[in-house]
PDB file of all heavy atoms in Angstrom:
ATOM      1  N   VAL L 870     122.242  99.120 159.760  1.00 92.00           N
ATOM      2  CA  VAL L 870     120.935  99.355 160.380  1.00 92.00           C
ATOM      3  C   VAL L 870     119.883  99.745 159.332  1.00 92.00           C
ATOM      4  O   VAL L 870     118.703  99.431 159.453  1.00 92.00           O
ATOM      5  CB  VAL L 870     121.041 100.473 161.457  1.00 92.00           C
ATOM      6  CG1 VAL L 870     119.672 100.880 161.988  1.00 92.00           C
ATOM      7  CG2 VAL L 870     121.927  99.993 162.611  1.00 92.00           C
ATOM      8  N   LEU L 871     120.337 100.398 158.260  1.00 90.00           N
ATOM      9  CA  LEU L 871     119.424 100.873 157.231  1.00 90.00           C
ATOM     10  C   LEU L 871     119.172  99.841 156.120  1.00 90.00           C
ATOM     11  O   LEU L 871     118.512 100.159 155.134  1.00 90.00           O
ATOM     12  CB  LEU L 871     119.934 102.181 156.606  1.00 90.00           C
ATOM     13  CG  LEU L 871     120.080 103.325 157.618  1.00 90.00           C
ATOM     14  CD1 LEU L 871     120.761 104.519 156.996  1.00 90.00           C
ATOM     15  CD2 LEU L 871     118.744 103.730 158.183  1.00 90.00           C
ATOM     16  N   GLY L 872     119.745  98.657 156.266  1.00 87.00           N
ATOM     17  CA  GLY L 872     119.543  97.654 155.223  1.00 87.00           C
ATOM     18  C   GLY L 872     120.684  97.688 154.208  1.00 87.00           C
ATOM     19  O   GLY L 872     121.592  98.491 154.309  1.00 87.00           O
ATOM     20  N   ALA L 873     120.584  96.810 153.230  1.00 77.00           N
ATOM     21  CA  ALA L 873     121.717  96.607 152.305  1.00 77.00           C
ATOM     22  C   ALA L 873     121.833  97.714 151.247  1.00 77.00           C
ATOM     23  O   ALA L 873     122.896  98.002 150.754  1.00 77.00           O
ATOM     24  CB  ALA L 873     121.577  95.261 151.628  1.00 77.00           C
ATOM     25  N   ASP L 874     120.686  98.342 150.907  1.00 73.00           N
ATOM     26  CA  ASP L 874     120.716  99.303 149.811  1.00 73.00           C
ATOM     27  C   ASP L 874     121.181 100.661 150.269  1.00 73.00           C
ATOM     28  O   ASP L 874     120.387 101.528 150.700  1.00 73.00           O
ATOM     29  CB  ASP L 874     119.313  99.404 149.185  1.00 73.00           C
ATOM     30  CG  ASP L 874     119.321 100.276 147.934  1.00 73.00           C
ATOM     31  OD1 ASP L 874     120.407 100.739 147.540  1.00 73.00           O
ATOM     32  OD2 ASP L 874     118.237 100.469 147.320  1.00 73.00           O
ATOM     33  N   GLN L 875     122.506 100.888 150.200  1.00 66.00           N
ATOM     34  CA  GLN L 875     123.066 102.133 150.703  1.00 66.00           C
ATOM     35  C   GLN L 875     122.862 103.319 149.749  1.00 66.00           C
ATOM     36  O   GLN L 875     123.196 104.454 150.075  1.00 66.00           O
ATOM     37  CB  GLN L 875     124.565 101.960 150.970  1.00 66.00           C
ATOM     38  CG  GLN L 875     124.883 100.975 152.064  1.00 66.00           C
ATOM     39  CD  GLN L 875     124.043 101.192 153.324  1.00 66.00           C
ATOM     40  OE1 GLN L 875     124.090 102.260 153.930  1.00 66.00           O
ATOM     41  NE2 GLN L 875     123.270 100.191 153.694  1.00 66.00           N
ATOM     42  N   SER L 876     122.274 103.040 148.568  1.00 65.00           N
ATOM     43  CA  SER L 876     122.107 104.138 147.587  1.00 65.00           C
ATOM     44  C   SER L 876     120.916 105.022 147.959  1.00 65.00           C
ATOM     45  O   SER L 876     120.758 106.108 147.431  1.00 65.00           O
ATOM     46  CB  SER L 876     121.923 103.552 146.181  1.00 65.00           C
ATOM     47  OG  SER L 876     120.727 102.778 146.176  1.00 65.00           O
ATOM     48  N   LEU L 877     120.048 104.517 148.852  1.00 68.00           N
ATOM     49  CA  LEU L 877     118.873 105.333 149.245  1.00 68.00           C
ATOM     50  C   LEU L 877     119.357 106.562 150.000  1.00 68.00           C
ATOM     51  O   LEU L 877     120.125 106.454 150.948  1.00 68.00           O
ATOM     52  CB  LEU L 877     117.946 104.513 150.152  1.00 68.00           C
ATOM     53  CG  LEU L 877     117.178 103.365 149.493  1.00 68.00           C
ATOM     54  CD1 LEU L 877     116.419 102.571 150.555  1.00 68.00           C
ATOM     55  CD2 LEU L 877     116.201 103.879 148.467  1.00 68.00           C
ATOM     56  N   SER L 878     118.912 107.730 149.571  1.00 68.00           N
ATOM     57  CA  SER L 878     119.362 108.940 150.268  1.00 68.00           C
ATOM     58  C   SER L 878     118.566 109.131 151.552  1.00 68.00           C
ATOM     59  O   SER L 878     117.515 108.519 151.744  1.00 68.00           O
ATOM     60  CB  SER L 878     119.184 110.162 149.374  1.00 68.00           C
ATOM     61  OG  SER L 878     117.854 110.630 149.462  1.00 68.00           O
ATOM     62  N   GLU L 879     119.053 110.015 152.398  1.00 70.00           N
ATOM     63  CA  GLU L 879     118.369 110.251 153.670  1.00 70.00           C
ATOM     64  C   GLU L 879     117.021 110.955 153.458  1.00 70.00           C
ATOM     65  O   GLU L 879     116.212 111.053 154.366  1.00 70.00           O
ATOM     66  CB  GLU L 879     119.258 111.091 154.596  1.00 70.00           C
ATOM     67  CG  GLU L 879     120.408 110.278 155.165  1.00 70.00           C
ATOM     68  CD  GLU L 879     121.173 111.002 156.267  1.00 70.00           C
ATOM     69  OE1 GLU L 879     120.764 112.123 156.634  1.00 70.00           O
ATOM     70  OE2 GLU L 879     122.177 110.439 156.731  1.00 70.00           O
ATOM     71  N   ASN L 880     116.805 111.472 152.244  1.00 77.00           N
ATOM     72  CA  ASN L 880     115.562 112.205 151.987  1.00 77.00           C
ATOM     73  C   ASN L 880     114.375 111.319 151.641  1.00 77.00           C
ATOM     74  O   ASN L 880     113.257 111.778 151.548  1.00 77.00           O
ATOM     75  CB  ASN L 880     115.769 113.236 150.876  1.00 77.00           C
ATOM     76  CG  ASN L 880     116.988 114.108 151.133  1.00 77.00           C
ATOM     77  OD1 ASN L 880     117.307 114.358 152.292  1.00 77.00           O
ATOM     78  ND2 ASN L 880     117.662 114.545 150.082  1.00 77.00           N
ATOM     79  N   ILE L 881     114.658 110.019 151.395  1.00 84.00           N
ATOM     80  CA  ILE L 881     113.543 109.132 151.060  1.00 84.00           C
ATOM     81  C   ILE L 881     112.855 108.687 152.339  1.00 84.00           C
ATOM     82  O   ILE L 881     113.479 108.074 153.200  1.00 84.00           O
ATOM     83  CB  ILE L 881     114.059 107.895 150.262  1.00 84.00           C
ATOM     84  CG1 ILE L 881     114.651 108.355 148.928  1.00 84.00           C
ATOM     85  CG2 ILE L 881     112.924 106.906 150.017  1.00 84.00           C
ATOM     86  CD1 ILE L 881     115.286 107.250 148.114  1.00 84.00           C
ATOM     87  N   PRO L 882     111.552 109.055 152.516  1.00 88.00           N
ATOM     88  CA  PRO L 882     110.877 108.673 153.752  1.00 88.00           C
ATOM     89  C   PRO L 882     110.708 107.174 153.847  1.00 88.00           C
ATOM     90  O   PRO L 882     110.302 106.520 152.881  1.00 88.00           O
ATOM     91  CB  PRO L 882     109.503 109.379 153.657  1.00 88.00           C
ATOM     92  CG  PRO L 882     109.384 109.852 152.252  1.00 88.00           C
ATOM     93  CD  PRO L 882     110.702 109.800 151.582  1.00 88.00           C
ATOM     94  N   ARG L 883     111.056 106.599 154.981  1.00 88.00           N
ATOM     95  CA  ARG L 883     110.912 105.162 155.179  1.00 88.00           C
ATOM     96  C   ARG L 883     111.045 104.801 156.655  1.00 88.00           C
ATOM     97  O   ARG L 883     111.583 105.550 157.450  1.00 88.00           O
ATOM     98  CB  ARG L 883     111.958 104.388 154.354  1.00 88.00           C
ATOM     99  CG  ARG L 883     113.409 104.688 154.676  1.00 88.00           C
ATOM    100  CD  ARG L 883     114.312 104.191 153.564  1.00 88.00           C
ATOM    101  NE  ARG L 883     115.721 104.185 153.874  1.00 88.00           N
ATOM    102  CZ  ARG L 883     116.522 105.218 153.721  1.00 88.00           C
ATOM    103  NH1 ARG L 883     116.029 106.393 153.320  1.00 88.00           N
ATOM    104  NH2 ARG L 883     117.818 105.132 153.978  1.00 88.00           N
ATOM    105  N   GLU L 884     110.534 103.614 156.955  1.00 89.00           N
ATOM    106  CA  GLU L 884     110.685 103.051 158.300  1.00 89.00           C
ATOM    107  C   GLU L 884     112.094 102.486 158.434  1.00 89.00           C
ATOM    108  O   GLU L 884     112.650 101.968 157.466  1.00 89.00           O
ATOM    109  CB  GLU L 884     109.729 101.858 158.472  1.00 89.00           C
ATOM    110  CG  GLU L 884     108.371 102.098 159.058  1.00 89.00           C
ATOM    111  CD  GLU L 884     108.301 102.965 160.292  1.00 89.00           C
ATOM    112  OE1 GLU L 884     108.732 102.524 161.366  1.00 89.00           O
ATOM    113  OE2 GLU L 884     107.786 104.084 160.182  1.00 89.00           O
ATOM    114  N   THR L 885     112.656 102.548 159.637  1.00 91.00           N
ATOM    115  CA  THR L 885     113.952 101.903 159.887  1.00 91.00           C
ATOM    116  C   THR L 885     113.854 101.072 161.161  1.00 91.00           C
ATOM    117  O   THR L 885     112.895 101.201 161.927  1.00 91.00           O
ATOM    118  CB  THR L 885     115.073 102.972 160.094  1.00 91.00           C
ATOM    119  OG1 THR L 885     114.814 103.659 161.309  1.00 91.00           O
ATOM    120  CG2 THR L 885     115.130 103.977 158.957  1.00 91.00           C
ATOM    121  N   LEU L 886     114.858 100.235 161.356  1.00 92.00           N
ATOM    122  CA  LEU L 886     114.920  99.444 162.585  1.00 92.00           C
ATOM    123  C   LEU L 886     114.973 100.367 163.813  1.00 92.00           C
ATOM    124  O   LEU L 886     114.487 100.013 164.867  1.00 92.00           O
ATOM    125  CB  LEU L 886     116.213  98.601 162.590  1.00 92.00           C
ATOM    126  CG  LEU L 886     116.128  97.172 162.092  1.00 92.00           C
ATOM    127  CD1 LEU L 886     117.491  96.497 162.275  1.00 92.00           C
ATOM    128  CD2 LEU L 886     115.067  96.383 162.830  1.00 92.00           C
ATOM    129  N   MET L 887     115.567 101.544 163.626  1.00 94.00           N
ATOM    130  CA  MET L 887     115.661 102.494 164.735  1.00 94.00           C
ATOM    131  C   MET L 887     114.275 103.013 165.112  1.00 94.00           C
ATOM    132  O   MET L 887     113.958 103.164 166.293  1.00 94.00           O
ATOM    133  CB  MET L 887     116.589 103.656 164.338  1.00 94.00           C
ATOM    134  CG  MET L 887     117.025 104.490 165.494  1.00 94.00           C
ATOM    135  SD  MET L 887     118.088 103.615 166.668  1.00 94.00           S
ATOM    136  CE  MET L 887     119.692 103.874 165.946  1.00 94.00           C
ATOM    137  N   HIS L 888     113.425 103.270 164.103  1.00 93.00           N
ATOM    138  CA  HIS L 888     112.028 103.656 164.399  1.00 93.00           C
ATOM    139  C   HIS L 888     111.365 102.564 165.233  1.00 93.00           C
ATOM    140  O   HIS L 888     110.668 102.849 166.208  1.00 93.00           O
ATOM    141  CB  HIS L 888     111.233 103.842 163.084  1.00 93.00           C
ATOM    142  CG  HIS L 888     111.501 105.111 162.335  1.00 93.00           C
ATOM    143  ND1 HIS L 888     112.504 105.207 161.412  1.00 93.00           N
ATOM    144  CD2 HIS L 888     110.902 106.335 162.371  1.00 93.00           C
ATOM    145  CE1 HIS L 888     112.513 106.444 160.899  1.00 93.00           C
ATOM    146  NE2 HIS L 888     111.549 107.144 161.460  1.00 93.00           N
ATOM    147  N   PHE L 889     111.565 101.335 164.821  1.00 91.00           N
ATOM    148  CA  PHE L 889     110.974 100.199 165.525  1.00 91.00           C
ATOM    149  C   PHE L 889     111.394 100.169 166.997  1.00 91.00           C
ATOM    150  O   PHE L 889     110.570 100.073 167.901  1.00 91.00           O
ATOM    151  CB  PHE L 889     111.363  98.882 164.844  1.00 91.00           C
ATOM    152  CG  PHE L 889     111.199  97.655 165.718  1.00 91.00           C
ATOM    153  CD1 PHE L 889     109.947  97.134 165.983  1.00 91.00           C
ATOM    154  CD2 PHE L 889     112.318  97.054 166.308  1.00 91.00           C
ATOM    155  CE1 PHE L 889     109.808  96.019 166.819  1.00 91.00           C
ATOM    156  CE2 PHE L 889     112.163  95.944 167.133  1.00 91.00           C
ATOM    157  CZ  PHE L 889     110.904  95.433 167.378  1.00 91.00           C
ATOM    158  N   ALA L 890     112.711 100.237 167.221  1.00 93.00           N
ATOM    159  CA  ALA L 890     113.244 100.142 168.594  1.00 93.00           C
ATOM    160  C   ALA L 890     112.737 101.295 169.465  1.00 93.00           C
ATOM    161  O   ALA L 890     112.352 101.089 170.617  1.00 93.00           O
ATOM    162  CB  ALA L 890     114.783 100.132 168.565  1.00 93.00           C
ATOM    163  N   VAL L 891     112.714 102.484 168.873  1.00 94.00           N
ATOM    164  CA  VAL L 891     112.278 103.664 169.641  1.00 94.00           C
ATOM    165  C   VAL L 891     110.772 103.631 169.908  1.00 94.00           C
ATOM    166  O   VAL L 891     110.305 103.941 170.999  1.00 94.00           O
ATOM    167  CB  VAL L 891     112.673 104.965 168.899  1.00 94.00           C
ATOM    168  CG1 VAL L 891     112.018 106.172 169.556  1.00 94.00           C
ATOM    169  CG2 VAL L 891     114.185 105.126 168.888  1.00 94.00           C
ATOM    170  N   ARG L 892     110.009 103.220 168.904  1.00 90.00           N
ATOM    171  CA  ARG L 892     108.555 103.221 169.050  1.00 90.00           C
ATOM    172  C   ARG L 892     108.125 102.316 170.214  1.00 90.00           C
ATOM    173  O   ARG L 892     107.181 102.618 170.929  1.00 90.00           O
ATOM    174  CB  ARG L 892     107.909 102.744 167.741  1.00 90.00           C
ATOM    175  CG  ARG L 892     106.420 102.939 167.721  1.00 90.00           C
ATOM    176  CD  ARG L 892     105.796 102.467 166.430  1.00 90.00           C
ATOM    177  NE  ARG L 892     105.924 103.456 165.371  1.00 90.00           N
ATOM    178  CZ  ARG L 892     106.753 103.303 164.344  1.00 90.00           C
ATOM    179  NH1 ARG L 892     107.504 102.225 164.226  1.00 90.00           N
ATOM    180  NH2 ARG L 892     106.821 104.226 163.425  1.00 90.00           N
ATOM    181  N   LEU L 893     108.822 101.175 170.395  1.00 89.00           N
ATOM    182  CA  LEU L 893     108.483 100.292 171.500  1.00 89.00           C
ATOM    183  C   LEU L 893     109.183 100.677 172.803  1.00 89.00           C
ATOM    184  O   LEU L 893     108.950 100.086 173.837  1.00 89.00           O
ATOM    185  CB  LEU L 893     108.854  98.840 171.139  1.00 89.00           C
ATOM    186  CG  LEU L 893     107.842  98.058 170.290  1.00 89.00           C
ATOM    187  CD1 LEU L 893     108.353  96.660 170.055  1.00 89.00           C
ATOM    188  CD2 LEU L 893     106.476  98.001 170.948  1.00 89.00           C
ATOM    189  N   GLY L 894     110.075 101.650 172.717  1.00 91.00           N
ATOM    190  CA  GLY L 894     110.781 102.074 173.934  1.00 91.00           C
ATOM    191  C   GLY L 894     111.885 101.106 174.335  1.00 91.00           C
ATOM    192  O   GLY L 894     112.137 100.910 175.532  1.00 91.00           O
ATOM    193  N   LEU L 895     112.529 100.471 173.349  1.00 93.00           N
ATOM    194  CA  LEU L 895     113.586  99.482 173.656  1.00 93.00           C
ATOM    195  C   LEU L 895     114.941 100.193 173.790  1.00 93.00           C
ATOM    196  O   LEU L 895     115.690 100.340 172.832  1.00 93.00           O
ATOM    197  CB  LEU L 895     113.640  98.423 172.546  1.00 93.00           C
ATOM    198  CG  LEU L 895     112.296  97.738 172.232  1.00 93.00           C
ATOM    199  CD1 LEU L 895     112.440  96.752 171.085  1.00 93.00           C
ATOM    200  CD2 LEU L 895     111.729  97.042 173.464  1.00 93.00           C
ATOM    201  N   LEU L 896     115.226 100.602 175.008  1.00 94.00           N
ATOM    202  CA  LEU L 896     116.430 101.394 175.290  1.00 94.00           C
ATOM    203  C   LEU L 896     117.719 100.651 174.978  1.00 94.00           C
ATOM    204  O   LEU L 896     118.609 101.187 174.314  1.00 94.00           O
ATOM    205  CB  LEU L 896     116.403 101.800 176.766  1.00 94.00           C
ATOM    206  CG  LEU L 896     117.369 102.886 177.205  1.00 94.00           C
ATOM    207  CD1 LEU L 896     117.001 104.231 176.580  1.00 94.00           C
ATOM    208  CD2 LEU L 896     117.355 103.036 178.727  1.00 94.00           C
ATOM    209  N   ARG L 897     117.816  99.387 175.399  1.00 95.00           N
ATOM    210  CA  ARG L 897     119.074  98.630 175.188  1.00 95.00           C
ATOM    211  C   ARG L 897     119.285  98.347 173.702  1.00 95.00           C
ATOM    212  O   ARG L 897     120.403  98.388 173.208  1.00 95.00           O
ATOM    213  CB  ARG L 897     119.035  97.313 175.944  1.00 95.00           C
ATOM    214  CG  ARG L 897     118.978  97.449 177.474  1.00 95.00           C
ATOM    215  CD  ARG L 897     118.870  96.059 178.089  1.00 95.00           C
ATOM    216  NE  ARG L 897     118.670  96.055 179.518  1.00 95.00           N
ATOM    217  CZ  ARG L 897     117.481  96.104 180.096  1.00 95.00           C
ATOM    218  NH1 ARG L 897     116.367  96.211 179.372  1.00 95.00           N
ATOM    219  NH2 ARG L 897     117.371  96.075 181.427  1.00 95.00           N
ATOM    220  N   LEU L 898     118.194  98.015 173.008  1.00 95.00           N
ATOM    221  CA  LEU L 898     118.327  97.725 171.588  1.00 95.00           C
ATOM    222  C   LEU L 898     118.710  98.996 170.811  1.00 95.00           C
ATOM    223  O   LEU L 898     119.533  98.953 169.900  1.00 95.00           O
ATOM    224  CB  LEU L 898     117.015  97.114 171.037  1.00 95.00           C
ATOM    225  CG  LEU L 898     117.106  96.681 169.566  1.00 95.00           C
ATOM    226  CD1 LEU L 898     118.184  95.629 169.337  1.00 95.00           C
ATOM    227  CD2 LEU L 898     115.753  96.136 169.077  1.00 95.00           C
ATOM    228  N   THR L 899     118.106 100.116 171.184  1.00 95.00           N
ATOM    229  CA  THR L 899     118.446 101.402 170.543  1.00 95.00           C
ATOM    230  C   THR L 899     119.918 101.686 170.721  1.00 95.00           C
ATOM    231  O   THR L 899     120.630 102.069 169.783  1.00 95.00           O
ATOM    232  CB  THR L 899     117.607 102.546 171.148  1.00 95.00           C
ATOM    233  OG1 THR L 899     116.210 102.234 170.950  1.00 95.00           O
ATOM    234  CG2 THR L 899     117.907 103.863 170.467  1.00 95.00           C
ATOM    235  N   TRP L 900     120.412 101.529 171.952  1.00 96.00           N
ATOM    236  CA  TRP L 900     121.838 101.777 172.260  1.00 96.00           C
ATOM    237  C   TRP L 900     122.729 100.874 171.424  1.00 96.00           C
ATOM    238  O   TRP L 900     123.753 101.315 170.884  1.00 96.00           O
ATOM    239  CB  TRP L 900     122.040 101.554 173.752  1.00 96.00           C
ATOM    240  CG  TRP L 900     123.450 101.552 174.250  1.00 96.00           C
ATOM    241  CD1 TRP L 900     124.072 100.567 174.932  1.00 96.00           C
ATOM    242  CD2 TRP L 900     124.421 102.618 174.117  1.00 96.00           C
ATOM    243  NE1 TRP L 900     125.367 100.935 175.213  1.00 96.00           N
ATOM    244  CE2 TRP L 900     125.630 102.168 174.740  1.00 96.00           C
ATOM    245  CE3 TRP L 900     124.418 103.868 173.523  1.00 96.00           C
ATOM    246  CZ2 TRP L 900     126.782 102.941 174.785  1.00 96.00           C
ATOM    247  CZ3 TRP L 900     125.574 104.657 173.574  1.00 96.00           C
ATOM    248  CH2 TRP L 900     126.732 104.199 174.207  1.00 96.00           C
ATOM    249  N   PHE L 901     122.343  99.590 171.267  1.00 95.00           N
ATOM    250  CA  PHE L 901     123.100  98.671 170.439  1.00 95.00           C
ATOM    251  C   PHE L 901     123.097  99.135 168.970  1.00 95.00           C
ATOM    252  O   PHE L 901     124.145  99.183 168.326  1.00 95.00           O
ATOM    253  CB  PHE L 901     122.518  97.250 170.534  1.00 95.00           C
ATOM    254  CG  PHE L 901     123.148  96.294 169.564  1.00 95.00           C
ATOM    255  CD1 PHE L 901     124.387  95.736 169.817  1.00 95.00           C
ATOM    256  CD2 PHE L 901     122.506  95.944 168.371  1.00 95.00           C
ATOM    257  CE1 PHE L 901     124.997  94.842 168.908  1.00 95.00           C
ATOM    258  CE2 PHE L 901     123.106  95.070 167.463  1.00 95.00           C
ATOM    259  CZ  PHE L 901     124.342  94.528 167.743  1.00 95.00           C
ATOM    260  N   LEU L 902     121.929  99.475 168.429  1.00 95.00           N
ATOM    261  CA  LEU L 902     121.824  99.893 167.027  1.00 95.00           C
ATOM    262  C   LEU L 902     122.619 101.170 166.761  1.00 95.00           C
ATOM    263  O   LEU L 902     123.201 101.320 165.680  1.00 95.00           O
ATOM    264  CB  LEU L 902     120.347 100.100 166.632  1.00 95.00           C
ATOM    265  CG  LEU L 902     119.466  98.837 166.599  1.00 95.00           C
ATOM    266  CD1 LEU L 902     118.017  99.208 166.347  1.00 95.00           C
ATOM    267  CD2 LEU L 902     119.957  97.851 165.549  1.00 95.00           C
ATOM    268  N   LEU L 903     122.638 102.071 167.739  1.00 95.00           N
ATOM    269  CA  LEU L 903     123.400 103.324 167.585  1.00 95.00           C
ATOM    270  C   LEU L 903     124.867 103.074 167.309  1.00 95.00           C
ATOM    271  O   LEU L 903     125.530 103.869 166.648  1.00 95.00           O
ATOM    272  CB  LEU L 903     123.298 104.158 168.859  1.00 95.00           C
ATOM    273  CG  LEU L 903     122.204 105.206 168.939  1.00 95.00           C
ATOM    274  CD1 LEU L 903     122.259 105.862 170.308  1.00 95.00           C
ATOM    275  CD2 LEU L 903     122.353 106.255 167.843  1.00 95.00           C
ATOM    276  N   GLN L 904     125.369 101.967 167.832  1.00 94.00           N
ATOM    277  CA  GLN L 904     126.806 101.670 167.686  1.00 94.00           C
ATOM    278  C   GLN L 904     127.122 100.915 166.397  1.00 94.00           C
ATOM    279  O   GLN L 904     128.279 100.655 166.099  1.00 94.00           O
ATOM    280  CB  GLN L 904     127.274 100.859 168.895  1.00 94.00           C
ATOM    281  CG  GLN L 904     127.137 101.618 170.202  1.00 94.00           C
ATOM    282  CD  GLN L 904     127.309 100.701 171.398  1.00 94.00           C
ATOM    283  OE1 GLN L 904     128.397 100.214 171.669  1.00 94.00           O
ATOM    284  NE2 GLN L 904     126.229 100.450 172.099  1.00 94.00           N
ATOM    285  N   GLN L 905     126.068 100.530 165.658  1.00 93.00           N
ATOM    286  CA  GLN L 905     126.289  99.782 164.418  1.00 93.00           C
ATOM    287  C   GLN L 905     126.339 100.739 163.219  1.00 93.00           C
ATOM    288  O   GLN L 905     125.854 101.852 163.278  1.00 93.00           O
ATOM    289  CB  GLN L 905     125.124  98.779 164.205  1.00 93.00           C
ATOM    290  CG  GLN L 905     124.889  97.822 165.359  1.00 93.00           C
ATOM    291  CD  GLN L 905     126.169  97.179 165.864  1.00 93.00           C
ATOM    292  OE1 GLN L 905     126.914  96.572 165.105  1.00 93.00           O
ATOM    293  NE2 GLN L 905     126.443  97.333 167.159  1.00 93.00           N
ATOM    294  N   PRO L 906     126.922 100.259 162.086  1.00 92.00           N
ATOM    295  CA  PRO L 906     126.937 101.066 160.877  1.00 92.00           C
ATOM    296  C   PRO L 906     125.505 101.470 160.498  1.00 92.00           C
ATOM    297  O   PRO L 906     124.598 100.644 160.537  1.00 92.00           O
ATOM    298  CB  PRO L 906     127.527 100.131 159.810  1.00 92.00           C
ATOM    299  CG  PRO L 906     128.276  99.097 160.576  1.00 92.00           C
ATOM    300  CD  PRO L 906     127.593  98.961 161.886  1.00 92.00           C
ATOM    301  N   GLY L 907     125.311 102.739 160.189  1.00 92.00           N
ATOM    302  CA  GLY L 907     123.977 103.229 159.784  1.00 92.00           C
ATOM    303  C   GLY L 907     123.120 103.640 160.981  1.00 92.00           C
ATOM    304  O   GLY L 907     122.056 104.235 160.800  1.00 92.00           O
ATOM    305  N   GLY L 908     123.577 103.347 162.177  1.00 93.00           N
ATOM    306  CA  GLY L 908     122.777 103.658 163.381  1.00 93.00           C
ATOM    307  C   GLY L 908     122.550 105.140 163.561  1.00 93.00           C
ATOM    308  O   GLY L 908     121.412 105.600 163.773  1.00 93.00           O
ATOM    309  N   ARG L 909     123.617 105.917 163.453  1.00 92.00           N
ATOM    310  CA  ARG L 909     123.467 107.370 163.637  1.00 92.00           C
ATOM    311  C   ARG L 909     122.726 107.993 162.455  1.00 92.00           C
ATOM    312  O   ARG L 909     121.930 108.918 162.626  1.00 92.00           O
ATOM    313  CB  ARG L 909     124.828 108.027 163.826  1.00 92.00           C
ATOM    314  CG  ARG L 909     125.372 107.743 165.208  1.00 92.00           C
ATOM    315  CD  ARG L 909     126.805 108.141 165.393  1.00 92.00           C
ATOM    316  NE  ARG L 909     127.236 107.745 166.729  1.00 92.00           N
ATOM    317  CZ  ARG L 909     127.200 108.553 167.784  1.00 92.00           C
ATOM    318  NH1 ARG L 909     126.732 109.784 167.676  1.00 92.00           N
ATOM    319  NH2 ARG L 909     127.613 108.126 168.972  1.00 92.00           N
ATOM    320  N   GLY L 910     123.000 107.445 161.260  1.00 91.00           N
ATOM    321  CA  GLY L 910     122.308 107.959 160.077  1.00 91.00           C
ATOM    322  C   GLY L 910     120.796 107.780 160.161  1.00 91.00           C
ATOM    323  O   GLY L 910     120.027 108.599 159.671  1.00 91.00           O
TER     324      GLY L 910
END
């Protein structure tokens, strides 16, 4: 979910796919992303 570069630490401010899904209120997509690698992170 966070893209290919796993070296980026959680402290680097950035947009994620999760921000996108939540900002538009996409409940089903958010639920799907949560179950993918990087979703909870």
